[in-house]
Amino acid sequence: MTTSFEDGYGPWAVIAGGSDGVGAAFAHKIASRGLNVVLVARRVPVLEASAAGIRDTYGVEVRTVALDLSAPDAIWELVKATSGIEVGLFVFNAGADDTSCAFLDKPVDAHRSLMQRNCTAVMEAAYHFGAPMTARGHGAMVLVTSGAAWAGGAALSVYGATKAFELILAESLWAEWHDSGVHVLGLVLGRTDTPSLRRTLEIGSDTSPGELADPNDVAETALEHLADGPVWIHGSASPTGGSPLGSLSRRDAVLLMSRPRSARTG
C-alpha cells in the first residue's frame, strides 16, 4: 500500500494550511505513508513546531514555507520555494473564516482578503501544481471546501461563495484531469474540531465541543478516497452524492442555512 501511494502521489506533498487542524492531520497521515511534506502557513512558531513533530515521528523530509495565502503573490512565492522538488500531492486547506457576521458588519478589505485566499490562490495553486501532474500522468489534488457551499445564508455570504467556488473548481478539474491519471477531490466538510472553529465558538482546548468531526478521521478518509472524486462529503451516508439540501427549494435551503449555527447542516 505504501509503495503504491508513493508511486502515485509522491515523492512530495504540499499542504497549504498545514500547521494545525485538518491541515496538520493531513500532513501526519501523508508522512505516515512515506511522502516528504511541505507545510505552508502564516504563523512561524506553530509551523516549525508541527514540522519538527512530523520529522521526529516519521523520519521524512519536511520543509516549511511561511506565507500569508491571502497575499496577492503568495502562490508565486510558493512555486519558487518548491521549484526543485516533484510535488505529486497538493492539499489546499487554508480557507477558514474565524468571524461569522453580517456582510456589512465586516470591512470590505476582509472580504477581499478571504476571496484572494479562497478563490484566486486556490485557482493559481491548481494551475501551477496541476500542470506538472497532468504532464507526468499521475498525482492528486485535494481542495477542502465546506457545507457552506450548498446554499447562501445569513453571516455566510462571502465565505460560502468562496467555498462554492472551490467546490465547482474541484468538480471541473476532476472532469478535465481524471482521464490523464490525476485525481481531484473536492472534500466537503461540516463542523470539524479545529482550532479555528474552537476560536469561533469560544471553546477551550480542554472542553468537549460536541458533535464535531475529528480532523484525523477527515484526513485519513480523504486519502483513502483520492480516486473517488469529484466530491467526497465527509460524514455523509452518501459521500459521493449531491447536496443534502437538494430536495429543498433554493429559498428554503437559504432559510435553513440562515438558522443559528447550532442548527445548520454543514
Side-chain angles (χ1 to χ4, degrees):
M1 180 182 298
T2 301
T3 301
S4 177
F5 194 88
E6 291 181 25
D7 289 344
Y9 308 118
W12 283 87
V14 174
I15 303 98
S19 60
D20 63 16
V22 172
F26 265 109
H28 279 269
K29 297 295 185 181
I30 292 168
S32 73
R33 287 163 163 79
L35 270 61
N36 303 311
V37 296
V38 179
L39 305 181
V40 185
R42 181 172 51 86
R43 295 172 296 157
V44 175
V46 179
L47 186 62
E48 295 299 340
S50 181
I54 292 170
R55 288 190 195 99
D56 292 345
T57 303
Y58 307 106
V60 299
E61 189 174 348
V62 183
R63 298 185 185 183
T64 60
V65 181
L67 282 176
D68 179 353
L69 290 163
S70 64
D73 62 347
I75 299 304
W76 172 238
E77 293 298 326
L78 179 57
V79 169
K80 289 195 295 183
T82 56
S83 61
I85 60 176
E86 182 179 317
V87 176
L89 175 57
F90 191 98
V91 178
F92 202 107
N93 174 64
D97 184 7
D98 290 346
T99 56
S100 178
C101 63
F103 177 70
L104 294 177
D105 289 343
K106 186 178 290 189
V108 70
D109 283 347
H111 292 314
R112 185 180 294 113
S113 177
L114 189 62
M115 291 181 66
Q116 175 69 34
R117 184 181 60 190
N118 286 8
C119 296
T120 303
V122 176
M123 178 274 294
E124 291 178 345
Y127 190 92
H128 287 293
F129 289 95
M133 293 181 193
T134 58
R136 290 191 299 264
H138 63 87
M141 187 164 293
V142 180
L143 304 185
V144 181
T145 181
S146 164
W150 298 135
L156 287 172
S157 56
V158 176
Y159 175 72
T162 64
K163 288 301 175 179
F165 175 88
E166 288 181 297
L167 179 61
I168 297 300
L169 180 63
E171 291 177 329
S172 300
L173 295 180
W174 175 88
E176 293 187 16
W177 296 352
H178 76 281
D179 285 342
S180 71
V182 177
H183 299 141
V184 181
L185 191 69
L187 177 61
V188 184
L189 301 186
R191 287 156 51 90
T192 304
D193 188 5
T194 64
S196 175
L197 185 65
R198 284 178 175 270
R199 288 191 295 270
T200 302
L201 301 181
E202 297 182 347
I203 299 172
S205 60
D206 58 348
T207 304
S208 173
E211 293 297 324
L212 301 182
D214 184 325
N216 292 302
D217 292 341
V218 168
E220 181 67 25
T221 301
L223 293 176
E224 289 176 351
H225 294 281
L226 288 175
D228 296 328
V231 170
W232 189 269
I233 308 168
H234 185 79
S236 170
S238 180
T240 60
S243 165
L245 307 183
S247 63
L248 302 178
S249 70
R250 292 299 297 183
R251 174 179 288 188
D252 287 343
V254 170
L255 290 174
L256 177 62
M257 293 293 284
S258 299
R259 292 179 184 175
R261 182 178 295 271
S262 60
R264 289 184 189 145
T265 300

